[in-house]
């Protein structure tokens, strides 16, 4: 199962230049506190950043799951944030990246 043997955590150039640090850290917080041990996680997690009445919502989904889970936070929503974010686990090297960066791999 993915995301169980973390050796390092990284953010791609696209992520670092388009999201504040606290929002990047929130992805790891969600994974560690709400997804691990609750769902059998694949090596690719998908998130969407959504506007919820001016605040930021993180929506988690995986291809094999019929369930989507949304996490509401008090961060202000910014329309310039990327909408789709991928988080990958490559043998313990976990990376947050833009969807375009993932498809270029």
């Amino acid at each position: 199962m993915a995301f169980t043997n973390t050796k390092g955590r990284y953010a791609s150039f696209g992520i670092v230049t388009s999201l504040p640090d606290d929002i990047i850290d929130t992805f790891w917080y969600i994974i560690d506190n709400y997804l691990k041990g609750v769902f059998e996680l694949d090596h690719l997690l998908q998130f969407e950043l959504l506007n919820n009445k001016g605040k930021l919502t993180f929506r988690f989904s995986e291809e094999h799951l019929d369930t989507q889970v949304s996490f509401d936070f008090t961060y202000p929503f910014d329309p310039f944030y990327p909408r789709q974010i991928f988080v990958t686990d490559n043998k313990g090297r976990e990376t947050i990246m833009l969807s375009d960066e993932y498809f270029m791999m």
Side-chain angles (χ1 to χ4, degrees), residues 13-79:
F13 180 79
I15 290 294
V16 171
T17 58
S18 61
L19 292 174
D21 292 344
D22 53 344
I23 292 178
I24 294 170
D25 291 341
T26 300
F27 285 98
W28 303 126
Y29 177 81
I30 291 169
I31 291 168
D32 289 342
N33 294 288
Y34 297 108
L35 302 179
K36 283 183 180 181
V38 177
F39 299 102
E40 187 173 325
L41 300 176
D42 283 339
H43 294 280
L44 176 65
L45 308 181
Q46 299 176 33
F47 287 90
E48 287 180 273
L49 297 179
L50 305 171
N51 184 358
N52 183 11
K53 300 177 185 172
K55 301 298 180 187
L56 190 60
T57 292
F58 294 67
R59 181 186 296 157
F60 161 75
S61 63
E62 273 192 339
E63 207 169 282
H64 79 279
L65 292 175
D66 292 330
T67 303
Q68 293 183 347
V69 182
S70 295
F71 303 92
D72 296 328
F73 286 86
T74 58
Y75 302 120
F77 176 79
D78 186 329

Side-chain angles (χ1 to χ4, degrees), residues 75-90:
Y75 302 120
F77 176 79
D78 186 329
F80 294 104
Y81 287 163
R83 176 156 174 139
Q84 189 172 37
I85 308 291
F86 288 164
V87 184
T88 63
D89 180 354
N90 183 8

